[in-house]
Structure formats: structure tokens, C-alpha cells
Amino acid sequence: MKIIEFKIRRFKELVTGILLGNGTEWSLIRVNVVDYVLDGFQFTNKKYIAYERELNESTMRHRILSIKNRTEYLSPIEKDTVLNDNELLFSFLKRKEILVAICLHKEDVIYVGRIKDVKPNSFDFDSYDPELRKSGVMKIDYSKVRYVQVHTDYLDSLSLLLGHED
């Protein structure tokens, strides 16, 4: 198991997590948001990874996250092949019908919604505003996406609220 730390181009904060899959286009990690907290999964567009390094196995963070990973492991994907192709990944996310958070060029701005349609170079994203009201459909080019997060506590909480309102 690899616990990695990497930098996304133009972002200040380093990202740390347990590497679950590594394709030609995307990598998948279980995100370590702070200290020893694991919160959701992140698909990172590899073209935006400036550098990556594996954490030393003797560090406290590596030791704790290794133990936690054995007890809490639930990968959102069945096959690593979805990490090799934009259309495969976003078609998979569309089929799952889950809320996702998408980050484009600004580190502190995420868009929350569901994948509505998948095209060869882009996808349609049915988005919500911060008050969980539909805010329209966005067309997003794959090449603009820095990362996609799923099953974070924030997204799962919003999903509960949406399910309760239906």
C-alpha cells in the first residue's frame, strides 16, 4: 500500500491520501484531509499533478493510515480501467448517480452536482448552489477538471438532505 502526497499545479495545499488506483489519465486516493482523518475519495487528473512522493513507512501518519485503511476500505470503483479514460470515468460516475464535487482552476471553489451527460471531450454537469437549489447545467471540458471527489462527509450529508426532500 502506498500513502502519497502530491501537489496539484497552481494550488498551494498538498494532497495526502492512500493510493487506491493509478491509470493513464486519473489517479484515485482515499483522501487524508487533516491529521489522521480519511474523508472520501478523490479522482485527480494526472496532467495537473506537479509532483508526487510516497510517505516514509516509519512516519506516524503512514503507520496510522495503514491501520485505518485495513478497517475502512471501500473503493468506489470495481475496475481500475475507468482511470485510463475520461469518458469511462465520467460514465461510471453518471451511472452511480451520486453527488460529486468538481474542482477546476481555483483551489477554494468546488461545484457540487451530478453528471448528466457524457460526451467525447466534455460532460454536462447538473449543479447545485450552496443552499442545495438547482443552479443549472454546466458544460465542462475534461481537460479543465483538476479533481473530482465522491463520498466525502459533506457530499454524503447533502445527499441525505436531497433524499429526505424527495
Side-chain angles (χ1 to χ4, degrees):
M1 166 185 21
K2 284 186 178 181
I3 298 177
I4 60 169
E5 184 174 76
F6 60 90
K7 173 141 179 23
I8 296 175
R9 283 189 177 90
R10 295 184 56 198
F11 288 8
K12 291 178 186 171
E13 298 295 320
L14 292 176
V15 179
T16 304
I18 300 166
L19 185 64
L20 301 176
N22 211 0
T24 54
E25 298 287 326
W26 298 87
S27 68
L28 171 63
I29 63 166
R30 181 99 188 265
V31 184
N32 172 221
V33 290
V34 66
D35 296 327
Y36 310 115
V37 178
L38 293 172
D39 185 21
F41 301 91
Q42 180 170 305
F43 298 92
T44 306
N45 190 333
K46 290 180 76 170
K47 82 177 203 169
Y48 289 110
I49 296 176
Y51 69 84
E52 176 182 309
R53 72 177 181 94
E54 191 170 347
L55 293 184
N56 188 311
E57 290 182 13
S58 64
T59 64
M60 186 75 133
R61 181 180 274 179
H62 192 288
R63 291 169 39 216
I64 290 173
L65 293 180
S66 295
I67 294 166
K68 287 184 82 170
N69 188 53
R70 284 187 223 132
T71 59
E72 298 180 14
Y73 176 76
L74 293 170
S75 178
I77 60 173
E78 297 88 30
K79 297 178 186 175
D80 282 351
T81 54
V82 300
L83 302 175
N84 294 329
D85 180 87
N86 292 322
E87 282 187 78
L88 286 175
L89 175 60
F90 285 87
S91 293
F92 166 79
L93 294 170
K94 180 183 179 225
R95 275 192 316 276
K96 291 292 184 180
E97 297 181 349
I98 57 174
L99 275 183
V100 301
I102 293 181
C103 184
L104 303 175
H105 61 283
K106 291 187 178 181
E107 183 173 14
D108 58 345
V109 176
I110 62 167
Y111 299 93
V112 173
R114 289 189 173 95
I115 309 300
K116 183 175 181 171
D117 193 24
V118 177
K119 301 169 184 162
N121 296 313
S122 64
F123 61 96
D124 290 340
F125 187 65
D126 198 6
S127 63
Y128 292 92
D129 71 10
E131 295 296 317
L132 213 51
R133 294 179 297 248
K134 290 227 177 209
S135 60
V137 176
M138 304 166 59
K139 178 187 174 207
I140 302 174
D141 291 340
Y142 300 124
S143 63
K144 304 290 185 201
V145 178
R146 294 235 181 351
Y147 68 75
V148 178
Q149 290 183 337
V150 298
H151 292 299
T152 63
D153 184 62
Y154 176 68
L155 291 169
D156 289 347
S157 297
L158 294 178
S159 293
L160 285 172
L161 184 57
L162 282 173
H164 191 266
E165 291 177 351
D166 290 342

